[in-house]
Amino acid sequence: MRLPFRSLTSQEPVLVVAPHPDDETLGCGGAIALLRLHNCPVSVLVISDGTQSHPRSRKYPAPVLQQLRQQETLDALTTLGVDQSAVTFLRLPDGAVSTLATLAQHQAECGAYLKAIAPKTIFLPWRHDPHPDHRATWQLVHSAITYLRFTPRLIEYPIWDWDSEQSVSLPNSAQITGWRLDIKAVVSLKQRAIAAYRSQITDLIDDDPEGFRLTPEMLANFTRPWEVYFEEIK
């Protein structure tokens, strides 16, 4: 079944939450660019430090890789129209976001952040994403929302469901609807933003043979002229 198209317009604050540096661009790059074209204020919160993508690299040990991935994120978001001052890095340990201790420790920190920017719409990872850091990010954001005096609109984006080796069947729930966003007008911007993540899509880090790399086949799912979102029916 082909998902219907919906429009996306807002003049009120929007927050995009990324489990790792690059998820915001892969999953929501088109939406971010469209919102910024209409002068919508967009903030981005990156949860983990992303340092487990190449854990055995000597050229890029964790502190160096963390700085590299943060700069890639800033470069990508600048391309999409987001000011660097609107980007926040929480720097939780990559791969350990899902631990109960981590979630409990940082709930208040995320809650204070939400209160400060008061987003009326939040883009966050799909609650059933195969990656545990993505599911934990969804949990963290949901727990932090209790610090707000209002309920923002929540829009969920898939990342690893596009991977045939990790994807799971989408739950057959009458409470959740899926839709697509037409991003033809900004897809070239999104492609340029994705290209900023050289550590994830090229051989820039060449001394960790088992390091992570987004394949062309995987990237093809994020450079289409539309993006997929899920939303709970109120």
Side-chain angles (χ1 to χ4, degrees):
M1 180 180 69
R2 302 201 70 172
L3 298 176
F5 280 97
R6 289 187 183 177
S7 60
L8 181 67
T9 57
S10 178
Q11 292 299 314
E12 297 181 309
V14 171
L15 170 64
V16 177
V17 183
H20 308 95
D22 72 5
D23 288 320
E24 79 297 323
T25 299
L26 294 172
C28 308
I32 293 171
L34 288 173
L35 289 166
R36 292 300 301 134
L37 281 177
H38 292 90
N39 294 316
C40 174
V42 176
S43 298
V44 177
L45 176 64
V46 182
I47 300 299
S48 79
D49 59 18
T51 57
Q52 285 301 300
S53 67
H54 296 81
R56 297 174 182 83
S57 174
R58 293 188 177 182
K59 294 180 181 178
Y60 292 88
V64 176
L65 182 54
Q66 176 181 304
Q67 291 301 315
L68 172 61
R69 298 204 65 183
Q70 287 187 187
Q71 188 58 55
E72 290 175 336
T73 301
L74 294 174
D75 292 343
L77 289 169
T78 296
T79 298
L80 297 174
V82 178
D83 190 271
Q84 294 190 6
S85 63
V87 185
T88 300
F89 297 95
L90 198 56
R91 301 187 183 94
L92 301 192
D94 188 0
V97 180
S98 60
T99 64
L100 292 177
T102 298
L103 292 173
Q105 178 182 351
H106 293 279
Q107 177 180 336
E109 184 178 359
C110 285
Y113 172 82
L114 291 182
K115 286 179 66 176
I117 64 172
K120 294 300 178 67
T121 299
I122 300 178
F123 287 83
L124 70 166
W126 170 230
R127 67 188 71 186
H128 298 291
D129 191 287
H131 197 300
D133 278 356
H134 289 225
R135 297 194 302 273
T137 296
W138 183 91
Q139 292 178 325
L140 182 59
V141 172
H142 265 258
S143 64
I145 285 173
T146 60
Y147 286 74
L148 294 174
R149 294 183 178 179
F150 60 91
T151 301
R153 178 184 181 187
L154 302 178
I155 301 175
E156 304 176 28
Y157 61 90
I159 294 290
W160 287 107
D161 286 271
W162 294 118
D163 183 2
S164 59
E165 295 184 4
Q166 299 189 61
S167 63
V168 296
S169 298
L170 297 180
N172 184 16
S173 172
Q175 281 72 50
I176 296 176
T177 184
W179 52 277
R180 289 186 291 171
L181 177 67
D182 185 342
I183 64 166
K184 287 194 295 290
V186 294
V187 70
S188 61
L189 276 179
K190 181 176 181 178
Q191 291 169 346
R192 283 171 49 201
I194 291 174
Y197 285 101
R198 296 177 58 224
S199 68
Q200 306 301 294
I201 65 175
T202 74
D203 290 328
L204 174 68
I205 304 177
D206 58 6
D207 63 338
D208 185 353
E210 297 180 8
F212 175 79
R213 182 171 177 177
L214 285 163
T215 65
E217 292 76 17
M218 184 66 178
L219 286 170
N221 294 305
F222 302 108
T223 54
R224 295 167 175 166
W226 42 265
E227 291 172 340
V228 169
Y229 296 103
F230 300 108
E231 198 165 354
E232 191 168 337
I233 301 172
K234 301 299 183 180

